[in-house]
Amino acid sequence: MNPQAIFKEMTPRARIGLGVAALGFLAVTFLLLKLATAPAYATVMSGVEPNQSDKITQALADRGVSYELQNNGTAIAVEKSQIGEARVALANAGVNAGSGTQPGFELLDQQKLGSSDFQQRVTYQRALEGEIANTIGQIDGVNGAEVQLTLPEDKLFSDESNPATAAVLLSGTSTLDGAQVRGIANLVAGSVQGLSPDKVTITDGAGQLLWPTDGGGSGGSGASKSAAQARYDASTESRINDMLTRTLGPNKARVEVVSDLNMDNASKEELAYAKTSTPLSQKVDDETLKGGGAGGGTSGTAANIEGSTAAGAGAGSDYKHKTTDTQFGVGKTVTKTKVAPGAVNNLQVALLVDSSVKAPSSSQLQTMVSTAAGLNTTRGDKITTTVLPFAKTPTPKSPSPITPTGILGMLKYILAGLAGIVFLFLVSRGLKRRDTSDLAEPTWLREIEQPRPLAELVASLEASAGGANGGQAALGAGSGREQLAAVAAQDPERLARQLREWMQEGDA
């Protein structure tokens, strides 16, 4: 069937519907082709310093690799199909395509023949610094790192050599805790031969010393007092705000905490004596003397003259002496305690309550928050409660879900198939309506069952039309020609037999 004839016989409404369906199909096809041909990017470098971005993008552009900057210019992404070319381009430009920006052991592959011992030593030091920096950059919470090493020269006597040292600069303001900082120090010390953790210096982007700590490097005090206080405040606020949300509902009350922590390492000694004494040793001295006889003469010159007599009365003696010496000991207890840093010196809590909450509930909330925060009035802790109307935040629109790449690819083909099915349905529906519509065929054509002579046919037409002119007018009408074409399309064999019969009559 001729499509042009079908289109002419369609109603204006059907033509408009067919045009809309065709435009919709073309729009969906264009959109799907655009999505299918859109380049997919993958990140090849992250934590890029601004001074390295120009060099990296220039190397990719010279190689003809499509790229885009992500995360405010700190990450480079290229098309997935060009990842290999991007790595080759960056390697040729001397840029490490790993997680960091410092070159690593690939520097050893670029040494030239005949380099001096000093050049080899400097290259090894740079390569070691780059490898350590790239390793530190993989730790969670570290955006980037720069490492500077001081390696001692080999000496004949070990006491003449200087110890190895290391300096690490972490990008940005550090929010690492003490365990992470101590881990970085030990990582650096374990990567360099003869390096002690005490000889490692770690500093954040704000110039604040993170390692060694004031406790002599034993660790545990945290990266800094401000970072420790920030973590303590955030943890306390999160815990109390979660309790308030479960109690009152969202946007009814909020807590802000400001703490002052003692981050000093200290040792404490206590000496306690027992209330009762215990005898340790005892010494007893007992002396006794007994005696008897005449007493001696009187003293003087008369007793010394010969022949004189001086007699005294006799008497006995009994002497006793006893002493006891006891040594007592008192029990004592000596307690040595190392005070861990992190004790709360002072705590200030601000409680904000929405005006929709009743007054008795506000006082109860203050008591509940004071207990939950662990306020101690003896050390000067204070809580302030303020009641004011909260701002009504508009309800954010739910973000569109992120479609995985595999599902997105399947969705493209599903939409294309649905668009094709809709288009075919509309076209077949129009054709079906045309086939089921009644065609006002000429009476003389519907009556043709067998080939009839031309003279007989003309005679019947003249009789039905009221004369020869009327028959010719009927045959020459525009509507008759269209109907004749429609009948020829439905049953061409019957019309061909009729035409052959007329041609044979004309030859005769």
Side-chain angles (χ1 to χ4, degrees), residues 132 166 183-200:
I132 296 175
I184 294 176
N186 285 276
L187 186 148
V188 176
S191 302
V192 180
Q193 183 179 3
L195 179 60
S196 173
D198 297 338
K199 300 299 182 180
V200 178

Side-chain angles (χ1 to χ4, degrees), residues 22-36 415-416 419-420:
L23 291 177
F25 177 76
L26 293 177
V28 172
T29 304
F30 175 76
L31 179 61
L32 294 178
L33 289 177
K34 187 176 180 180
L35 292 176
L415 292 177

